[in-house]
Structure formats: structure tokens, C-alpha cells
Amino acid sequence: MNPSIRAVTVPKWGMAMSEGKVTRWLVAEGAAVGPGVEIVDVESTKIASAIEAPVVGVLRRRVATEGATLPVGGLLGVIADASVADADLDAFVAGFKVEAVAADDGAGAPAPTYVEVGGNRLRYLAMGDGGIPVVLIHGFGGDLENWLFNQPALAASRRAIALDLPGHGGSSKAVGAGDVATLAAAVAGLLVALDVGKAHLVGHSLGGAVAARVAIDHPEAAAALSLIASAGLGPEIDGAYLQEFIAAGRRRELGAALGKLFADPALVTGDMINNVLKSKRLDGATEALTAIAVGSFPGGRQAWVMRDRLAGLTIPVQAIFGAEDRIIPTAHAAGLPSHIIAGAGHMVHMEKAAEVNRLIGGLV
Amino acid sequence: MQINRTELLEAYRKMRTIRVFEERVHEEFATGQMPGFVHLYAGEEASAVGVCLNLSDDDKICSTHRGHGHCIAKGCDVPGMMLELYGRRDGLCGGKGGSMHIADLSKGMMGANAIVGGGPPLACGAALAAKTLGTGKVAVTFTGDGGSNQGTTFESMNFASVLKLPVVFVFENNGYAETTGSSWSVACGDIVNRAPAFAMPGVMVDGHDFFAVHEAASEAIARARAGEGPTLIEVKVDRYFGHHEGDSEKYRAPGEVAKLRAEKDCLKRFRKRVTEAGLLQAGELDAIDRDVGALIDRSVKAALAAPMPTAADLMTDVYISY
Amino acid sequence: MARKLTFRQAVNEALRQEMRRDPTVILLGEDIAGGKGSPGEQDAWGGDMGITKGLIGEFGERRVIDTPISESAFIGAAVGAATSGLRPVAELMFVDFMGVCFDQIFNQAAKFRYMFGGKAKTPVVIRTQMGAGYRAAAQHSQCLYPLFTHIPGLKCVVPSGAYDCKGLLTQAIRDDDPVIFFEHKLLYDVAEDVPEEQYTIPFGEANVVREGNDVTIVALARMVSFAKTAAETLAKEGIDCEVIDPRTTSPLDLDTILESVRRTGRLVVVDEAHPRCNMAADIAAQVAEQAFGALRAPPRMVTAPHTPVPFSPSLEDLFVPSPEKIATAVREARAYKA
Ligand SMILES: Cc1ncc(C[n+]2csc(CCOP(=O)(O)OP(=O)(O)O)c2C)c(N)n1
Ligand SMILES: [Mg+2]
């Protein structure tokens, strides 16, 4: 088999994903492609996303037709040099076999676990080994599933741990004063409990402020800091969004709120809304979110701005923002090594996952 | 009250039929081939037969979820019953009723009933019809100890007493309603204690003794026929199987049923009494046993081989189909 | 943490957790523990379907109360207790038994809030099992939620799975109005991911079980999984169905249904209840009234026939709507030309 022929397959986004639907091809057969070039839109029940070319080459075959549903690992298309013979491509397509990929309850699928930290239960999901570990900290109202496009990719070459902050997802609902320091202390405790050592702390939004606070309070725990659409860089934040998110108990309201997080609100699927609702309906979740909103964002302003203290850090730091962020002003990235990604909103790590993954992977 | 030979043979045949029918259903149910909820009457045979031997086809009975015994005692077709239990097209109710709804109005059997307390008001109605039409017929309602606590039952007793209806309230107290003990659920202890409150005579009889039941029933039925109103009879019985098939019976005392079967069995007592008194010969009874065994065997075989109802049967017996 | 729980376990857990949280929650019903006044084991059954098993062990006889067979008395007592400081959850073993206690539900519990000028709260829950397919025959198999839905003042919940069941039951107990909670007996053994933690699902919020653009299927309780099966079959034929589970028939989330029908133009309602005055008829009528212009085909109703539930398995299987019948209705709606 010709080694320069590369398959583009349906990725596995999140534990429950077993198949994906091809919604739209974005490039024609014969187009030159490479990392950073989105070639096809695929939709799972959880989310829709564009898939980038894994390697440089020519998109020689669009195997999956628009509208088709394929299993995870199913063949979407084929990239190869222009020089590869058509017959070889046909043989490759004909001989392609989908490797069985564990779905939800299949053996071997990574599942979240729990650890007790300071009397509270924290949920986390660990994947991969070695390298400088990355720790992924979601934002206000999120959970570890927010990293479903990032964690598997990052885990390919390092230990990657995603966690649920106190008050979120499957973690206990006690959040104390709801301020960044309290949340950071819980994360620091988790890192000790899991014996993570020095990690690349990656935080999104509120999680960015938490990551920074961990790095500041526990320099021994931080190898690098990636701040994605991060809080903690300036006082402004869309306080109305926070209130809207907290108040949204129903699908429609929540869908409208979540739409604000994306440059393309159509990316919000029913499943995504349902999953957020599932977390929000847990006893104590609304109270926890309210406490965090009060503790971290009183009066719709950010209570903790750590811009000057970042200057004191000796580790690599980067800020990543979506150009169309409607929650935290992109301008907050100013003065930091930063990447403003076009065509993405506040959930830039979901909307432009491949690019964000490259930036995270490239920092240390 | 004298019972003649023919009646005695008839009584034995019916009690025996009920027993073998129920024991066979118990086995058949365990094979998984018999659908539905099945409540067996084994152990209580003397009650149904002791009462129904006093009735004609034009007298009415209302039964309960534990209705097979009442059906057989009232003369329902046994193979037809078995077909019904298997949900077959030619069952007594065309397969539409099942064990809990077996009925044969031509035999005065107004139906087993899956609603506890469903029977007493209906029996009052049958009695009201008899009284209004002056037919001289009566109605008997069988109710359990559990059903004795249902509002419909209390209302019916008062109603029957006020209207002096020709109805007999037979309470088969087998000690349990599902898992619940009757000594707890019946606040006044014995159900018979309620009779005075409704201004009707009440008697309590040993339900393992066919003759005691028969005598009490015949008096009550005679009173009813004579226009003297309702009577309450509490029959103390025991059920040999679980509440329904599949019941774990954890609420019973260990060894309880084995002891009952050994010491109180109504069939054994009947046989002993009639043979010792020289009323019937053991050989006659043995012959009945063989007959009944063959009948039940035939019934099961026929039922298993019989056709199920089809789509065309779904929309019959209705006045409109949509 | 979510783990697989059966619908049966979900009911048990919802009761257990809410009883721990709120000491005013009590349970009443026939044999809900079992063995009362009997010589053998207590908690012998834990209810006719084993739903409440183990609760008497934790909460004792003061809060897990076995009753005589007197539905009018204990359902009515639950209603009365609800107006007097408790949050009773009464089990009406089968909804078919409503006949012997309906007055306490529809003339009493349902009316207090309004009839007393808003001064009364009646936080009672009546749990009851329903549904055909168990060979339980005419008096133990009905889907009578339309009768209750008809009555102002009652809230009616018809969960289709274990996750919804736990959240809706918890909501029901905390709710200040009388709630009738219908458990389809053929769902009891179906398992699903259910969080360990307590949570509530608001009433009047439909679940969009599957998103699609060609035909809207609205289905309730056990019919939801049948509708999903039909939708999967139809997807292979290129028909993209949206499946909506209203979860509560009162209040009914009509908005979600209308929104969907405005997109698809086609409606199929699946209801295991008899066809006249059931939820299918009600939903179809409301959609016709409010979204007539959006309809590209007449609404279709897939229901049980207008007969009692037959005992015979061969008839009962014909009685219950099937995925095939649903698929046929969808195909017809799709092919309809005015
Ligand atoms: C109105 C009503 N409530 C409850 C039931 C459930 N159920 C069926 S049989 C039974 C116990 C009846 O006990 P009892 O009357 O003593 O009759 P037994 O089973 O002992 O013959 C119960 C509670 C029912 N079928 N109908
Ligand atoms: Mg009894």
C-alpha cells in the first residue's frame, strides 16, 4: 500500500459518539489541502464541526457523500500526492476497513472518574500518558465534555486531564464564596491528588482565570499557561449572558443563550443543549452557578483581574481568542502573546479545534 | 339439610376438578407458555362448591380475580376455561378475557373480576333484578378478606340490607390479601363481626369442611329466596399457592402450606367423611379422580393445539370500530 | 455520577432520596412494603412490581404505610394529608383502579387550589402503573392518562425512560399541585444512564428525542421508543423524522410541537390510549388550529383501537401501536398530496 495515501476518517468526539453524519464537503476533489484547511463538515448528535486535512496533499477522493452517516473511523476521503496513481487510490478505498472504536459503554473507552479533594468530590477524565501533562479547565457553566475536540488530540502525545470545576458537571456543588481563589484551590488539590506534577494549564473563560490563579498560587504546578477566551484579563464580561444562562431552565432559553457562545449559533445541537440542561438540573447546580456569578463576576464585572501578576510568571503564557467572542472582549488579549482566530466565538476551542490544539501543543 | 348421593358425587367431582385444574395450571404456568396473571384457588374448593351446589344456572354469582374455582363450581365448561387461560380463539370468552375475566352468563357466572370489590355491587344488581322480576332467584358474591375492606363492599351490604335484596355475601377469608394479613387489615378481627352493623345475619364457617359451608349457604340462600334479605357468610379458607403465580410468598410462615395440606385439606376430609359414613365408596371417588385427570389432560392438550384469535377477532363484540 | 438504572430503580431512588431530604414525604399503598400482619418476612414484596422495595427498611412504618384494600380511603387520605403538611406519594397499583377512588382525585384534589380561591396547596403525588403488553387483560392494562389530562388542576406525567422518570418524579414530589405519575409497566426493566445526584425536570417541557426535518412524530411513554425505532427505519428510506416526547400531558408543551410542525409540515401522533378524546386527538386538533397554514398533510394518529384491551397475546399485540404502524403513518403523511 502506498504510504503517501492518507485516510480522512470520522473522528470520535466525546465518549458517546459512535457515528457522524457528513453535512457538507468544503473543498473539491483535486484541491490542495493541509493542516488548517477545513475539508468537510461532520455532525454528531452532540455537535457539528469541520474536519481539517490531517496532512499536506491533494484531496483525491471524496468517499463519503453528503448526508451519509458513517461510523466513527469510517472513511470520509483520501488525501495523497498528485502523483499517486488512480488505481492505487481505488485499491486503498476498496481495502479500507473501519477499526472498531469503543463507543459509550464499550470496553476501553475512557470514562470519567472521581476523586475526593478537601471533602468535595471532583470528576475528571484522564487520557494519554507521558509528556508534559495538560490540564483542561472549562468555563462558567461548562464541564469536561467541552474539551471533546481537544482532549483526544492532545492525549495522542501526552497525559491530558479534563476536570469538572466545583459546582459543575459531576463535581460536588459546594463552591464556597464562588470566587476564583476557591475554585483554583480545588484544582490545585486535584492536581496533587492525581500526582500530576508540573502541567500545562489550559483554561477556558472562567477556567482561564482559575488556571492562572493556580499558576500564581502554586508555581510548582505550572509548566505553561494557555488562556482561551479567558477571564481574569480585564474587568468586562457579558454579565447579562451569565444571568441568562443561570435562569435558562428550558431547552429554548438555553439554546438561545448557548448560541451566543459561537460565531455560528447553528453549531448548537439539541444534544448539546440537553447535556448542559442535565448538569443544570442537578440539585444545587443553580445555587452553585449563582454563587460563582456573585463571587467571581459581581455586578456583571470580573472581580479578579490578574494581568499584572501574569507578568511575574516565568513560564510560557499565551492567550487565544475567537475574533467573534461576544462574552469577553478580544481586546483583553492585548499585551500577551496572543492568537485571535477568525470565524470563532467564545467557544473557540470547539469551533476551531484543530487550530487551538496546534497552539496548545506548540506552546511547550 | 340432607345431601343425596348424586349431589355428593357432584360435589366431589367439582372439588376434585378445581384442584386438578389449578395444580395443572400451576405447572403449565411455570413452563412460560401460559400468559397473564393467574391466581389459583387450590385449597379453597369446599367454599365455591359448598355454596354453588345450592344454586341453579339462573342464580347468579360474582367472583374475584381468584375465579377458576367459582367458574367450575357454577358449571362452566372446563376445556373452554383452559382455552381461555391460554388466550385461544375458542375459549370461554373468545380469548378476550383471560383468567381474571372468565365468565359464562348462561351458567349464571357473572365473571371473575380483576377489580377488588367489583363484584358486590353487581350481585346487588342481579338480586335487584330477581326481586323486581319476581323470579325467586338469588345472587351470591364471593369476596376475599382484602376485598371486604373495599368501599364498594360496605356500600353494597348496606344497600342490600336496606332494599332487602336476595343476595348472599360470601367472604372467603384466606388470611391474606396479596401479602397483607387479614388479622391486621380487618379491624374487627373476623369479617362476620360486621354483619350486625348492616342488620343482617352473619355466620362463620370452616371452609375446609364442605358440609359446613353447604349448610350455611343453603340457609342463607333459602332466606334470600324467601325475601328475607341478605346474609353474610365468612368462610375461613387457605390458599395453597402464592397470591398469583410467580409470588415468592416470603410473607408466609415457613412450612405453613405443607401443614395445611396435611391437616386441613378439604378433599381429604370430604373423602374421609363420606367413606367412613358409608355414603360413597372409595372406588367411586377413585373413578372420579381418574375421570378428572383425563379431562384436565385433554383440556390442556386441546388448548395448546388450538388456534389463537386473529386480526378479524380484534374488532368484534364492539358496537363501533375505529 | 451517572450509571445505568432501570426505570424501576429510578422510581425507587427518586423516592428514597427525596424522603431523605424531606421528612414530610410519606408513602401509602397496598403491599408497598408487604407482609403487614403476616407471619413471614416484612417488606415481602416492596409493591406489586417491587418498586418500593427496601424503603420501609430505611424509613420505617411511620413513613412507608401499607394500607388495606381501600383506595378511596387511602388515596383520599393522601390528598387530605397533603393539605395538612405532608407530601404524600400514594401508589394506586394499577391506573385501572381509579374507578374506586376517582372522586378523591378529580373532585377533591384537583379542585382545591381554584375552588378555594388560591388558598390551598395540595402537594400529593399518585404513582400508578399503566399500559398494555403484559397480558394483564382488560382491567389491568389501560392507558388512562387522557381522562386525568382532561381535569383542570391535575398535572399528568408520562415518562418514557429512567432518566426522565427520576427527574420528573422528584419534581412531582416537590410540586405544590396534585400530580398523577404514570409508569408504563413495560418500561420498568429498561435501563438508562441516570445521575446519582437528585435533579428535577420541569413540567411542560418536551424532550426532542431526535431531530429531523421531514415529519414530526409526537409520542408518549412506551411509544417513544417505538417512534425512535420507526424513525431509524425511515431514515434508511431517506425520511428524516423529528421525535418529540412531551413528557407531561398536563401541562403540555405545545410550543415545541408547533415549532417542529412549522418546520416539517407533517405530524404523526402516537398514543397507546384509545382513539377518542386521547392525547393524539388533542394534539392533532391543537396543531390544526394553531398551525394550519404550516401543515402539508393531515395530522395522522396512531393509537390503540376503540376496544378494551384484549387478553389473548395475539390480539394484544395487534392492539398496541407498533413501530411498523408508526412508519406506515409517517410514509403516508410524507406521500400525501392535496
Ligand atoms: C381495586 C383493586 N385494588 C387492588 C387490586 C390488586 N389486588 C388484586 S388481588 C388483591 C388482594 C385481594 O385479596 P383478597 O380480597 O383477600 O383475595 P385473595 O387474593 O386472598 O383471594 C389485590 C390487592 C385490585 N385488583 N383491584
Ligand atoms: Mg384473601
Side-chain angles (χ1 to χ4, degrees):
Chain A
M1 195 118 303
N2 191 327
S4 81
I5 301 178
R6 271 291 293 269
V8 182
T9 59
V10 177
K12 185 167 172 67
W13 295 321
M15 295 166 294
M17 178 165 169
S18 60
E19 57 184 31
K21 180 171 166 188
V22 178
T23 42
R24 200 158 49 105
W25 278 100
L26 303 170
V27 296
E29 275 185 5
V33 296
V37 178
E38 296 179 342
I39 55 175
V40 58
D41 275 336
V42 170
E43 184 181 284
S44 80
T45 52
K46 281 203 196 310
I47 192 166
S49 183
I51 290 177
E52 288 189 6
V55 290
V56 175
V58 173
L59 180 68
R60 296 289 300 275
R61 289 279 189 278
R62 301 197 324 192
V63 179
T65 53
E66 291 183 358
T69 297
L70 276 67
V72 168
L75 187 62
L76 293 164
V78 178
I79 296 175
D81 290 347
S83 59
V84 174
D86 280 335
D88 287 354
L89 291 174
D90 293 340
F92 179 87
V93 171
F96 185 85
K97 287 206 173 52
V98 180
E99 279 174 44
V101 179
D104 190 18
D105 33 23
T113 350
Y114 294 81
V115 61
E116 284 283 313
V117 174
N120 288 321
R121 202 169 72 150
L122 295 182
R123 184 177 75 144
Y124 69 96
L125 176 63
M127 291 180 192
D129 325 277
I132 296 174
V134 289
V135 174
L136 306 168
I137 309 169
H138 63 79
F140 181 84
D143 67 18
L144 55 79
E145 287 243 343
N146 293 164
W147 303 102
L148 83 174
F149 298 132
N150 316 102
Q151 193 181 8
L154 293 166
S157 48
R158 58 181 75 72
R159 185 174 182 197
I161 296 167
L163 57 91
D164 287 344
L165 286 170
H168 290 78
S171 291
S172 304
K173 300 298 171 250
V175 296
D179 58 340
V180 170
T182 305
L183 301 175
V187 173
L190 175 99
L191 299 183
V192 171
L194 299 184
D195 202 12
V196 174
K198 255 191 191 327
H200 178 175
L201 305 175
V202 179
H204 172 250
S205 195
L206 169 67
V210 172
R213 185 70 195 238
V214 173
I216 291 163
D217 291 352
H218 303 275
E220 73 288 354
L225 199 52
S226 287
L227 303 173
I228 302 173
S230 185
L233 300 173
E236 297 84 10
I237 186 164
D238 183 354
Y241 165 79
L242 300 176
Q243 294 313 319
E244 195 182 329
F245 180 86
I246 292 172
R250 291 170 187 265
R251 210 168 34 85
R252 243 176 312 255
E253 302 153 5
L254 187 64
L258 294 179
K260 292 189 178 169
L261 300 178
F262 294 85
D264 176 8
L267 292 178
V268 177
T269 63
D271 249 45
M272 184 192 295
I273 299 171
N274 276 342
N275 280 342
V276 177
L277 275 177
K278 277 187 180 172
S279 290
K280 288 197 71 208
R281 287 181 192 133
L282 294 174
D283 273 10
T286 301
E287 291 76 2
L289 289 174
T290 305
I292 292 171
V294 170
S296 299
F297 309 113
R301 309 270 296 169
Q302 301 196 35
W304 188 67
V305 179
M306 43 57 181
R307 194 164 259 293
D308 19 332
R309 301 180 66 180
L310 279 183
L313 294 179
T314 54
I315 54 173
V317 176
Q318 64 179 341
I320 301 169
F321 269 83
E324 296 174 45
D325 196 321
R326 284 179 274 172
I327 307 299
I328 294 180
T330 316
H332 286 191
L336 291 170
S338 58
H339 309 271
I340 310 293
I341 300 176
H346 192 59
M347 301 304 276
V348 54
H349 54 316
M350 296 185 95
E351 274 181 293
K352 296 291 173 192
E355 202 168 336
V356 171
N357 293 345
R358 254 193 316 281
L359 292 170
I360 296 171
L363 186 62
V364 285
Chain B
M1 160 94 192
Q2 273 304 321
I3 312 180
N4 65 35
R5 248 184 73 80
T6 324
E7 285 170 334
L8 284 177
L9 285 168
E10 171 74 2
Y12 183 76
R13 179 179 294 276
K14 286 207 161 126
M15 292 203 293
R16 183 76 198 169
T17 306
I18 296 170
R19 174 67 54 87
V20 180
F21 187 94
E22 297 294 59
E23 297 202 314
R24 185 63 183 268
V25 169
H26 176 73
E27 285 168 24
E28 293 299 318
F29 192 87
T31 68
Q33 293 205 60
M34 185 175 274
F37 284 121
V38 185
H39 308 76
L40 301 183
Y41 193 74
E44 309 187 11
E45 294 85 351
S47 173
V49 177
V51 172
C52 292
L53 208 68
N54 294 289
L55 302 174
S56 72
D57 284 356
D58 297 332
D59 294 313
K60 299 287 170 62
I61 66 165
C62 292
S63 173
T64 69
H65 54 286
R66 200 175 301 290
H68 306 166
H70 304 131
C71 284
I72 293 173
K74 198 71 175 52
C76 293
D77 179 57
V78 171
M81 286 176 61
M82 196 62 87
L83 285 163
E84 189 62 29
L85 262 60
Y86 274 103
R88 305 294 153 151
R89 189 194 62 200
D90 301 326
L92 219 44
C93 304
K96 287 177 174 166
S99 164
M100 288 200 291
H101 306 295
I102 290 198
D104 185 349
L105 279 299
S106 71
K107 296 285 179 191
M109 163 60 190
M110 290 175 54
N113 205 314
I115 302 300
V116 172
L122 298 173
C124 287
L128 179 64
K131 179 170 170 166
T132 307
L133 299 172
T135 59
K137 297 302 168 192
V138 302
V140 176
T141 173
F142 292 94
T143 308
D145 46 283
S148 82
N149 297 322
Q150 189 63 289
T152 49
T153 308
F154 289 104
E155 292 181 24
S156 298
M157 288 194 283
N158 188 62
F159 180 83
S161 194
V162 167
L163 296 189
K164 272 205 173 332
L165 297 178
V167 57
V168 180
F169 295 90
V170 177
F171 290 100
E172 296 180 321
N173 186 344
N174 59 9
Y176 299 99
E178 295 192 336
T179 73
T180 302
S182 63
S183 59
W184 173 78
S185 74
V186 177
C188 58
D190 295 318
I191 298 166
V192 69
N193 293 336
R194 290 177 181 162
F198 296 105
M200 66 174 81
V203 287
M204 184 158 81
V205 296
D206 176 1
H208 303 93
D209 180 351
F210 163 83
F211 296 95
V213 176
H214 184 269
E215 185 177 341
S218 85
E219 276 170 28
I221 289 163
R223 274 194 75 239
R225 289 201 205 284
E228 290 167 36
T231 303
L232 184 160
I233 303 176
E234 178 175 7
V235 187
K236 296 280 195 197
V237 286
D238 290 291
R239 66 166 149 84
Y240 284 177
F241 293 108
H243 169 68
H244 47 46
E245 288 311 277
D247 179 4
S248 59
E249 298 186 73
K250 289 189 181 143
Y251 49 87
R252 296 187 99 144
E256 183 182 311
V257 176
K259 196 162 144 63
L260 290 169
R261 283 189 185 257
E263 295 173 9
K264 290 187 156 183
D265 189 81
C266 62
L267 279 157
K268 286 186 195 152
R269 284 195 185 180
F270 183 94
R271 180 183 271 263
K272 188 160 186 286
R273 170 136 172 211
V274 294
T275 50
E276 281 178 7
L279 299 170
L280 298 174
Q281 304 302 313
E284 294 175 289
L285 300 177
D286 294 343
I288 290 176
D289 290 357
R290 280 193 299 277
D291 270 12
V292 168
L295 170 70
I296 302 300
D297 232 32
R298 257 196 333 274
S299 302
V300 171
K301 287 209 180 82
L304 283 169
M308 300 296 274
T310 62
D313 301 306
L314 181 63
M315 301 304 283
T316 57
D317 309 313
V318 293
Y319 58 84
I320 187 145
S321 31
Y322 40 67
Chain C
M1 180 173 58
R3 68 262 111 97
K4 293 258 186 265
L5 282 194
T6 61
F7 192 102
R8 169 185 281 105
Q9 292 167 320
V11 177
N12 184 285
E13 185 167 283
L15 294 172
R16 185 186 296 275
Q17 291 181 336
E18 197 57 13
M19 288 178 82
R20 282 182 187 156
R21 199 185 72 93
D22 180 352
T24 68
V25 178
I26 64 160
L27 309 183
L28 293 145
E30 292 156 10
D31 306 278
I32 59 169
K36 181 81 191 163
S38 298
E41 280 176 33
Q42 301 301 292
D43 205 12
W45 272 12
D48 152 85
M49 288 288 182
I51 309 292
T52 42
K53 183 91 181 151
L55 296 178
I56 197 168
E58 178 165 351
F59 302 104
E61 287 193 337
R62 208 175 60 88
R63 296 181 65 195
V64 179
I65 303 169
D66 271 354
T67 70
I69 308 176
S70 309
E71 284 87 0
S72 211
F74 80 78
I75 296 285
V79 171
T83 63
S84 315
L86 294 182
R87 288 190 178 266
V89 181
E91 177 178 290
L92 181 61
M93 199 182 288
F94 290 78
V95 69
D96 315 69
F97 307 165
M98 64 174 260
V100 289
C101 57
F102 203 27
D103 177 69
Q104 295 296 322
I105 300 171
F106 91 98
N107 269 326
Q108 311 302 333
K111 306 277 193 280
F112 294 161
R113 176 167 161 179
Y114 186 86
M115 193 167 74
F116 298 158
K119 294 196 186 87
K121 281 198 310 191
T122 313
V124 67
V125 180
I126 299 168
R127 291 181 40 244
T128 189
Q129 62 174 305
M130 66 167 180
Y134 209 75
R135 317 313 185 199
Q139 296 173 346
H140 278 63
S141 303
Q142 300 167 84
C143 276
L144 297 176
Y145 46 79
L147 292 179
F148 293 83
T149 306
H150 184 72
I151 307 295
L154 298 180
K155 292 180 176 170
C156 301
V157 185
V158 285
S160 64
Y163 172 81
D164 283 356
C165 175
K166 180 174 169 184
L168 291 166
L169 183 53
T170 306
Q171 173 61 38
I173 301 173
R174 294 180 190 175
D175 202 287
D176 283 340
D177 288 309
V179 179
I180 319 296
F181 194 85
F182 297 90
E183 301 166 10
H184 197 294
K185 55 177 88 69
L186 268 82
L187 292 177
Y188 279 138
D189 291 322
V190 181
E192 211 171 68
D193 275 346
V194 177
E196 254 172 34
E197 301 91 332
Q198 285 196 278
Y199 56 94
T200 55
I201 297 176
F203 293 165
E205 163 93 342
N207 186 21
V208 181
V209 175
R210 183 185 201 281
E211 294 177 75
N213 288 311
D214 294 338
V215 178
T216 301
I217 309 179
V218 177
L220 299 154
R222 184 177 181 224
M223 295 300 112
V224 174
S225 72
F226 285 19
K228 276 200 282 188
T229 306
E232 275 151 33
T233 308
L234 292 161
K236 296 193 187 103
E237 301 169 19
I239 304 178
D240 187 22
C241 297
E242 180 139 306
V243 179
I244 297 176
D245 170 8
R247 293 199 280 222
T248 57
T249 61
S250 203
L252 178 70
D253 180 2
L254 196 64
D255 289 345
T256 296
I257 297 169
L258 289 171
E259 208 174 82
S260 176
V261 173
R262 291 203 171 102
R263 212 163 3 88
T264 62
R266 297 178 171 90
L267 174 68
V268 173
V269 196
V270 191
D271 187 348
E272 194 188 311
H274 307 296
R276 294 293 86 89
C277 303
N278 68 357
M279 290 315 299
D282 181 73
I283 291 170
Q286 293 196 68
V287 168
E289 186 179 64
Q290 299 195 36
F292 188 70
L295 286 170
R296 288 189 273 163
R300 294 294 312 264
M301 298 185 252
V302 183
T303 72
H306 196 61
T307 72
V309 183
F311 164 68
S312 180
S314 69
L315 295 180
E316 195 182 26
D317 291 345
L318 292 166
F319 175 92
V320 178
S322 62
E324 294 71 37
K325 283 184 195 156
I326 299 169
T328 303
V330 170
R331 285 186 202 107
E332 286 168 6
R334 190 32 209 253
Y336 179 82
K337 298 253 173 343

